Amino acid sequence: MNWFKRSGQTMSLEKKWIRKYSGILGALVFIYIVIHTTCLIGEDKKQKVSLSQGQIDFIVGVIDDTNNIDTTTSKHLIQDYLLHVGYSDSIDFPSLWLAIKSLPSTELRLYLNGYEFSENSPFWLTGYYTFIEIIFWSLFGVLASLLFHGTEAIRKGEFDQKEQSVHWAKLMYSPLVTIVLILSIEALTEGGDINLDGLSYWLVVLSFIFGFFSRKSIDLLDRLKDIIFRSSDSNKVAVSKTEFDSMSNEEKKRILRLAKSTHQNEWAGKYDGLHSVKIDTKNDVNDWRLVFIVNQHKQDSALANPVPQSIRFEDNGAFYDLPTTVIGSGDVSDHIYNPNQSKQTCQNVLPKQPGCSVGRVRNDNKATGTIGLKVFREDNGVKKFYLLGCYHVLCSLEFENSIFDFKDSNEINFDIVSPSKKDGGGNVIGTVIEGRRSDYLDAAIAELTNPIDLSASILNSNGPTGKLSVGQEHEGLSVSLSGRTSGYQKGKIIEFSTFVTVDGHTTYDVIMTSKLSMGGDSGAPVVDLFGRVIGIAKAGDDHHSYIIPIERILNYLNITPCYV
């Protein structure tokens, strides 16, 4: 059951997370204040200050007006002016006056443009103690970002405990990345020189921003790499389209695959209507290119952000302008149920099998899907058996209310039936206990009321006899699906890893196959010809189906398939 919401004896993981990172932020603020208000570090907090152009104009103007003002009056005018603008204690005026009265106006202006002096500051902005400010303010930025986005994810039901390792990593690398970026900016703007003096309050703001947007900071660091090593680009070779076309098909596919794996997360959501990418041919069997799959192919003139005709990619010292093609493949969907479609409901049949209709008990049950697999967990030698399916089917009530982790459910009835109520209904065969919809997952499990009510054998199919972790070597592999709507369907793997965007939400590292599934097939098991499970169906368009890999589901839910 939904233990975290119902126990009442243990603080939820989300509250623990909030308290932990709020505590870290509070501790850092306390340490920062102590360091800045006590003598733990004896160095006075200073910043380097230069005269503004208006101040320089005033001083030079007074010196030039020698016909009307004597030297003593000029000295008092300048000293009073600097006192008025707040520099009296900061400037060594006697030394400055010696330079002012001895230099002609042209040289005086140059001298004043380069004149710097130290003044008191609430921050260390000179010398090596500047790194204290950079480190603290970058950490403040990271923690502010984590608390903001973390609480937003909790509010939306998208919080993922497994992201905590990423959070800790950000706390570790962000100060280092911030230091490198600031020193790089200083070097680039000062013609290669790095000088920690002369920095102002912008350093604090910039450090916080680099910490808050730590992922963007990594992207900026990658771009700085291109600037810093720009001189080496002259040694790189620009590969023409003719040269690319003359390469072997395997080499072309290697480069295209590398470009896709490197940049597909960047492409997702960037181009209008894009919901996936694959590698395929266009005009002939040798014309390999990046194929961008959109909902409906429109003319570029009608789009704000169209897919470009080529994508620039650098690999192993060479630049490629990789050819692209855009194809319309219809709207991609999570296989929403259509009552007019055919179905294999397994009505009045026991035991049920993977491939049969399934759904939550509800009055308006639209979310009809397919039983994926019979699975189990073993604890201290005791096995418990479960039904595996898609989150947006087994947790349809939560999904429709934008709750994407089942433990946050506000519902009271978690029973499921096979077939679904829309398909005629049946006896309750299980109760949902866990599930998650995230950027990499769409799966849930229901504990079986009576394990013998669900067979391990997939309906109309061979298996499951094992599991298969799909890699690049499996592209082109023949597979089959057994679904509530489509029944038994054969196809092949097209992409071992791509993304699919449905209703603005992108799921990464999914398997793309040829068209296997239709509405109502969500959760359907997909196996190879030996019966090895590769995953469960998540979504589809007019020409493709998208499969959540089985290994990811098993690892996240800590379950094992029941094999035949």
Side-chain angles (χ1 to χ4, degrees), residues 192-209:
D193 294 329
I194 297 176
N195 185 3
L196 292 176
D197 293 335
L199 301 176
S200 189
Y201 296 143
W202 67 265
L203 175 72
V204 173
V205 176
L206 197 60
S207 297
F208 183 89
I209 291 174

Side-chain angles (χ1 to χ4, degrees), residues 179-408:
I179 289 172
V180 170
L181 286 175
I182 289 174
L183 294 180
S184 298
I185 292 171
E186 183 72 7
L188 291 171
T189 56
E190 296 298 328
D193 294 329
I194 297 176
N195 185 3
L196 292 176
D197 293 335
L199 301 176
S200 189
Y201 296 143
W202 67 265
L203 175 72
V204 173
V205 176
L206 197 60
S207 297
F208 183 89
I209 291 174
F210 282 154
F212 193 92
F213 299 101
S214 53
R215 289 188 180 179
K216 295 289 185 183
S217 298
I218 293 293
D219 293 338
L220 180 58
L221 189 63
D222 188 61
R223 295 190 182 191
L224 280 173
K225 170 208 69 176
D226 296 333
I227 297 173
I228 293 170
F229 296 109
R230 180 167 49 191
S231 59
S232 65
D233 286 350
S234 59
N235 298 323
K236 295 178 181 178
V237 178
V239 179
S240 67
K241 184 179 184 305
T242 302
E243 291 173 310
F244 181 78
D245 290 341
S246 66
M247 292 179 178
S248 68
N249 285 339
E250 287 306 310
E251 180 63 10
K252 283 188 281 191
K253 286 190 285 184
R254 183 195 70 80
I255 295 169
L256 292 166
R257 286 192 189 102
L258 184 59
K260 184 172 77 72
S261 64
T262 303
H263 294 294
Q264 63 179 3
N265 287 18
E266 170 192 336
W267 298 334
K270 180 177 181 179
Y271 301 118
D272 291 336
L274 178 67
H275 66 252
S276 196
V277 175
K278 67 179 179 179
I279 296 166
D280 207 346
T281 57
K282 181 183 179 182
N283 299 318
D284 58 56
V285 294
N286 298 314
D287 187 16
W288 289 94
R289 57 185 57 222
L290 294 166
V291 178
F292 288 78
I293 304 168
V294 299
N295 299 339
Q296 183 179 356
H297 191 191
K298 300 178 181 178
Q299 295 297 320
D300 288 353
S301 58
L303 302 173
N305 296 295
V307 176
Q309 294 183 351
S310 64
I311 296 288
R312 171 59 65 95
F313 179 66
E314 187 271 328
D315 173 48
N316 197 25
F319 287 119
Y320 299 87
D321 287 318
L322 301 177
T324 66
T325 291
V326 179
I327 63 170
S329 195
D331 291 336
V332 64
S333 74
D334 275 330
H335 295 323
I336 301 301
Y337 170 74
N338 183 341
N340 297 321
Q341 292 172 325
S342 60
K343 51 197 173 186
Q344 49 182 26
T345 63
C346 308
Q347 182 81 353
N348 302 319
V349 174
L350 279 178
K352 306 297 181 183
Q353 292 180 265
C356 294
S357 168
V358 71
R360 276 280 283 277
V361 173
R362 53 182 292 178
N363 293 329
D364 59 338
N365 195 348
K366 298 180 294 182
T368 290
T370 300
I371 298 174
L373 291 173
K374 183 177 183 180
V375 298
F376 70 90
R377 286 175 179 163
E378 188 167 356
D379 186 14
N380 295 324
V382 178
K383 288 184 178 180
K384 288 188 176 182
F385 293 88
Y386 308 90
L387 176 154
L388 171 66
C390 272
Y391 183 88
H392 69 268
V393 173
L394 300 187
C395 304
S396 55
L397 293 168
E398 293 75 19
F399 182 78
E400 290 178 1
N401 288 295
S402 299
I403 296 173
F404 303 119
D405 199 323
F406 178 72
K407 63 182 172 57
D408 296 322

Side-chain angles (χ1 to χ4, degrees), residues 109-125:
R109 185 175 292 277
L110 292 174
Y111 173 80
L112 293 177
N113 276 321
Y115 181 75
E116 289 184 338
F117 54 96
S118 296
E119 70 172 4
N120 293 329
S121 169
F123 310 105
W124 280 294
L125 296 173

